């Protein structure tokens, strides 16, 4: 880092230091952390909101997390006893620092998880200690939803009011470098088939309640556009379709589900499929557990000859280069005053609370 000797003999930086905050939902790193992680999630006002929520949210979150922890424990057990998302995100942060520094940017990256360590508050403490001159907020969700990007940015605004210029990235699913990084992973997965143009490509995204979409959340539209852009950029002649996963509770969520899609493909006598996690940038329980373990087992039972999943982007060079380009683009934009998002979040409907807790 270039420095000069100041008047009093102290080293003074000659370049502006840029702090980049990488936001993710986070995940329990041990089986014991599952319940408190879920408690934090269901305490989020962007996830659950209802009349008198300030009184009832915490008891309800305790009920849901206690019961649901037992239900999801096996998912984490199958992937090694905890989520790898912190490890992947920290590797992304270190690689992004190196990439940006190679472009002459004095960059320091910080990880801010929404529901587990390191929390946003911890990232802010580190950011202040680093004495950054400007900040880029980079939620690692390619598409925008009030339940992911919105919730992470709301938490940031509740905790940070320092007089530092802040740039914000709200989506990057249209970024050409990002699309190329995903295409690379899909091509690697297709290459494992005897005839790469034959398997059905199944894009799978995290589902949301239909009520959230009906309130104006752009997530579904952006997911559908991501699939279209990837098919165009990949130039694949394979048949393809979109489905959703990770539904919670009894209300209407985006359909069809991954499990329904598997049964439909089997009924259509499709025997080879490649699942592409289209809303995730890191491997975690939804990819490693739900897709690569649970869905793979279902495909085997249904008689599929070959089932593949494209790997997460994680810290692949193409993805890190994409993030660097996204940060550089954000820095070139004027600083905007970011007002708090009045987000409705998932807002589980009242009849759904018992179902979400596993009491249905």
């Amino acid at each position: 880092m270039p420095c000069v000797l100041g008047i009093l003999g102290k080293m003074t930086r000659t370049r502006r230091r840029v702090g980049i905050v990488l936001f993710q939902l986070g995940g329990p790193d041990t089986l014991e952390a599952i319940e408190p992680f879920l408690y934090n999630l269901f305490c989020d006002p962007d996830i659950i909101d209802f009349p008198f929520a300030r009184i009832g949210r915490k008891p309800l979150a305790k009920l849901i997390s206690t019961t649901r922890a037992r239900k999801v424990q096996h998912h984490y057990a199958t992937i090694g006893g905890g989520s790898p998302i912190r490890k992947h995100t920290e590797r992304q942060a270190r690689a992004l620092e190196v990439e940006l520094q190679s472009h002459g940017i004095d960059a320091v990256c910080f990880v801010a998880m929404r529901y587990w360590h390191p929390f946003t508050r911890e990232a802010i403490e580190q950011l202040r200690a680093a004495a950054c001159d400007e900040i880029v907020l980079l939620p690692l969700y390619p598409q925008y939803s009030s339940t992911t990007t919105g919730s992470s940015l709301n938490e940031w605004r509740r905790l940070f009011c320092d007089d530092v210029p802040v740039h914000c990235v709200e989506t990057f699913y249209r970024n050409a470098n990002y699309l190329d990084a995903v295409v690379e992973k899909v091509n690697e997965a297709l290459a494992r088939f005897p005839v790469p143009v034959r398997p059905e490509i199944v894009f799978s995204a995290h589902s949301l309640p239909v009520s959230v979409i009906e309130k104006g959340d752009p997530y579904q539209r952006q997911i559908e556009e991501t699939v279209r852009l990837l098919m165009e950029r990949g130039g694949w002649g394979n048949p393809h379709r979109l489905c959703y996963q990770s539904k919670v509770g009894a209300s209407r969520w985006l359909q069809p589900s991954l499990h329904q899609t598997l049964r439909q493909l089997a009924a259509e006598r499709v025997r080879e499929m490649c699942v592409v996690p289209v809303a995730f940038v890191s491997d975690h329980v939804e990819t490693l557990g739900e897709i690569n373990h649970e869905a793979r087992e279902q495909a085997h039972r249904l008689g599929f000859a070959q089932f593949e999943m494209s790997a997460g982007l994680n810290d692949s060079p193409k993805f890190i280069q994409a993030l660097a380009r996204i940060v550089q683009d954000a820095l070139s934009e004027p600083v905007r005053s970011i007002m708090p998002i009045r987000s409705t979040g998932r807002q589980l409907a009242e009849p759904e609370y018992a179902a979400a807790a596993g009491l249905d």
Side-chain angles (χ1 to χ4, degrees):
M1 178 184 69
C3 298
V4 296
L5 199 61
I7 297 174
L8 300 179
K10 295 182 179 180
M11 299 304 289
T12 303
R13 286 188 282 118
T14 59
R15 286 190 295 174
R16 290 177 64 79
R17 173 169 291 168
V18 180
I20 297 102
V21 184
L22 305 182
F23 294 92
Q24 269 284 15
L25 289 185
D29 44 16
T30 65
L31 295 180
E32 293 73 24
I34 295 174
E35 185 175 330
F37 165 79
L38 291 173
Y39 176 80
N40 291 335
L41 188 153
F42 288 109
C43 274
D44 183 356
D46 290 311
I47 299 298
I48 289 185
D49 199 11
F50 57 95
F52 308 108
R54 289 189 178 184
I55 299 173
R57 185 181 291 116
K58 288 185 177 180
L60 178 61
K62 181 64 176 176
L63 172 65
I64 296 175
S65 60
T66 300
T67 309
R68 190 155 185 80
R70 295 192 294 267
K71 284 193 164 189
V72 302
Q73 188 172 13
H74 73 282
H75 285 303
Y76 289 98
T78 61
I79 64 171
S83 172
I85 196 166
R86 177 174 181 172
K87 174 188 69 177
H88 288 311
T89 310
E90 289 180 340
R91 286 177 178 173
Q92 289 163 346
R94 302 290 78 78
L96 179 57
E97 280 181 351
V98 172
E99 181 68 21
L100 287 170
Q101 287 164 4
S102 74
H103 291 277
I105 299 173
D106 181 15
V108 188
C109 294
F110 308 90
V111 173
M113 298 295 189
R114 185 65 185 89
Y115 305 120
W116 200 240
H117 300 284
F119 292 114
T120 304
R121 187 180 302 277
E122 298 171 58
I124 289 174
E125 291 173 359
Q126 296 170 358
L127 181 72
R128 286 171 174 153
C132 296
D133 300 296
E134 58 187 318
I135 298 167
V136 176
L137 305 182
L138 181 55
L140 292 176
Y141 318 108
Q143 304 83 14
Y144 179 91
S145 173
S146 58
T147 64
T148 52
T149 301
S151 177
S152 290
L153 294 181
N154 277 342
E155 179 70 357
W156 168 270
R157 292 168 186 131
R158 282 189 284 266
L159 300 173
F160 189 86
C161 55
D162 300 26
D163 187 19
V164 182
V166 178
H167 309 264
C168 184
V169 176
E170 291 196 350
T171 68
F172 56 85
Y173 68 94
R174 291 177 176 171
N175 180 273
N177 302 91
Y178 159 73
L179 293 169
D180 286 342
V182 178
V183 167
E184 178 182 64
K185 293 300 181 183
V186 176
N187 283 335
E188 289 173 0
L190 290 174
R192 297 195 289 269
F193 290 89
V195 182
V197 297
R198 192 168 58 196
E200 182 108 5
I201 299 176
V202 176
F203 295 95
S204 185
H206 198 294
S207 191
L208 278 184
V210 173
S211 60
V212 174
I213 303 300
E214 289 175 342
K215 288 182 173 70
D217 195 291
Y219 176 77
Q220 182 182 19
R221 173 180 56 79
Q222 293 181 2
I223 286 289
E224 292 170 352
E225 186 177 356
T226 305
V227 171
R228 179 182 62 78
L229 292 171
L230 285 171
M231 289 301 299
E232 290 176 357
R233 202 156 189 93
W236 306 299
N238 306 62
H240 72 280
R241 63 187 72 192
L242 170 63
C243 67
Y244 296 90
Q245 62 182 93
S246 309
K247 178 181 183 293
V248 177
S251 68
R252 288 190 306 132
W253 285 50
L254 295 175
Q255 297 284 338
S257 71
L258 175 59
H259 297 300
Q260 291 170 336
T261 299
L262 281 163
R263 291 192 292 270
Q264 182 61 38
L265 288 169
E268 295 172 10
R269 301 189 179 278
V270 174
R271 289 297 175 261
E272 296 175 333
M273 65 180 294
C274 178
V275 181
V276 178
V278 74
F280 312 115
V281 300
S282 300
D283 280 319
H284 57 307
V285 71
E286 277 87 356
T287 61
L288 301 177
E290 291 185 36
I291 298 176
N292 211 34
H293 180 76
E294 189 176 285
R296 181 182 293 276
E297 285 190 345
Q298 182 185 4
H300 178 73
R301 293 193 302 270
L302 290 169
F304 282 81
Q306 189 169 353
F307 176 102
E308 300 290 346
M309 181 189 76
S310 63
L313 298 175
N314 300 325
D315 59 346
S316 71
K318 278 188 182 295
F319 182 53
I320 298 304
Q321 290 163 13
L323 291 180
R325 183 70 263 168
I326 291 163
V327 168
Q328 289 172 291
D329 290 345
L331 288 170
S332 69
E333 295 291 328
V335 174
R336 291 183 294 129
S337 176
I338 308 173
M339 298 301 292
I341 298 174
R342 299 295 181 182
S343 165
T344 57
R346 291 188 183 125
Q347 291 199 358
L348 299 178
E350 289 187 42
E352 189 177 350
Y353 290 153
L359 303 177
D360 52 329

